[in-house]
Amino acid sequence: MRTCVGCRERVAKHDLLRVVLVQDKSATLAPDPQGRAPGRGAHLHPTRACLDLAERRRAFTRALRANGPVDLDALRRYVEAVSASSTTEKESGSSGS
């Protein structure tokens, strides 16, 4: 069981996306769908709503013990792509009824 940093709901680990902090020139959040990247991780439902909640609460900075603001661009693109593909799958599955 893991807790989503956005909605704070406790769910099974495989239902959440692991996110890690990559320190290069800036602190960037990177999605880790395989769950194997080194370093401290935070877990998030791969939805826009949970991402927005986590951003508003500054949950990533706390959970990952970052020293300053973190860049969410790569994570936001990943979540939007996952959301778009799951919406497309749901629409194509319901039209066959």
Side-chain angles (χ1 to χ4, degrees), residues 5-88:
V5 295
C7 66
R8 306 291 298 159
E9 181 182 345
R10 289 183 52 87
V11 294
K13 182 179 175 180
H14 61 76
D15 292 335
L16 299 173
L17 171 66
R18 183 171 185 258
V19 179
V20 294
L21 186 65
V22 177
Q23 293 282 5
D24 45 7
K25 293 180 182 178
S26 65
T28 303
L29 289 179
D32 180 20
Q34 300 300 318
R36 295 191 178 118
R40 187 171 186 84
H43 292 82
L44 175 78
H45 283 111
T47 63
R48 292 180 197 153
C50 284
L51 179 59
D52 291 341
L53 275 171
E55 182 179 13
R56 188 172 45 218
R57 290 182 180 155
R58 297 183 192 113
F60 292 115
T61 304
R62 263 193 312 274
L64 299 171
R65 299 181 184 165
N67 293 330
V70 293
D71 181 14
L72 294 162
D73 290 340
L75 179 59
R76 188 171 305 284
R77 284 191 302 272
Y78 181 86
V79 167
E80 288 175 359
V82 168
S83 295
S85 68
S86 66
T87 302
T88 304

